[in-house]
Amino acid sequence: MQSLDILSYGWTFLGALKICGSSRCPLSVPYQWQNGVSTNHTLANDFFYQPWLDGSGNCLGLVYKYQMYDDISCTQQTTFSCGKWADNFN
């Protein structure tokens, strides 16, 4: 990932969203993996960087500097990652 120069963005979009019908979901609404990456959404809702977890976005991002998750706006400029089905996380 370092070769992608993601340091200039700070976040990588991980392919999980909060679905609540609003542009800003409550913190209690869990993230869900998209496009069949996994049916186990537990891993999309762990490992948050607590100082930044504020309910400000419905997309799940990885904070590169801390290697932890953050809730980010779905319109925020980020790098992206491609998901692949992970059988061991069913």
Side-chain angles (χ1 to χ4, degrees):
M1 286 178 51
Q2 288 179 339
S3 65
L4 298 174
D5 190 29
I6 65 173
L7 292 175
S8 62
Y9 294 104
W11 289 271
T12 299
F13 174 64
L14 293 180
L17 302 171
K18 284 187 174 189
I19 314 276
C20 71
S22 168
S23 62
R24 189 170 178 156
C25 294
L27 287 173
S28 60
V29 174
Y31 285 93
Q32 297 179 8
W33 294 114
Q34 302 297 296
N35 302 316
V37 171
S38 179
T39 56
N40 181 343
H41 302 294
T42 303
L43 292 176
N45 293 283
D46 279 337
F47 312 115
F48 281 96
Y49 184 63
Q50 292 299 323
W52 291 353
L53 180 62
D54 60 3
S56 63
N58 293 344
C59 283
L60 182 65
L62 173 72
V63 183
Y64 181 74
K65 181 177 180 180
Y66 301 106
Q67 297 295 295
M68 297 186 84
Y69 295 162
D70 184 21
D71 54 341
I72 60 174
S73 166
C74 296
T75 60
Q76 181 171 332
Q77 187 174 20
T78 68
T79 59
F80 65 93
S81 64
C82 296
K84 183 178 178 184
W85 180 261
D87 288 328
N88 58 332
F89 297 126
N90 275 342

